Amino acid sequence: MDIFAHALWAGAAVALARRRWTVPTHTLIATAVLATLPDIFHLLPIAGWWILGDGSVQALWAYAVAVPGRQP
């Protein structure tokens, strides 16, 4: 949920900015994507463990939707 939350907060900030200024849609999308990139980079080792090692997709999913402070 942490990854999704970062995208939502960034999207909400741009949505509020759109009320006052003209913000193109591609800027909204780029902001949400860039807000999630640090979290996606943290998932890469876990994805590699799943693909190349004996990890599981359940472990990857559990980390992706974990609440902050409760990661597996």
Side-chain angles (χ1 to χ4, degrees):
M1 295 311 276
D2 194 31
I3 298 169
F4 186 63
H6 288 150
L8 282 177
W9 280 112
V14 174
L16 286 174
R18 279 183 129 175
R19 291 182 176 187
R20 185 169 177 108
W21 302 286
T22 303
V23 178
T25 303
H26 69 276
T27 302
L28 173 68
I29 294 168
T31 302
V33 168
L34 289 173
T36 60
L37 275 182
D39 297 320
I40 299 299
F41 287 137
H42 287 272
L43 283 178
L44 290 178
I46 299 168
W49 174 56
W50 167 52
I51 293 169
L52 302 173
D54 58 349
S56 66
V57 71
Q58 289 83 12
L60 180 66
W61 181 254
Y63 187 79
V65 298
V67 175
R70 296 185 185 170
Q71 290 92 349

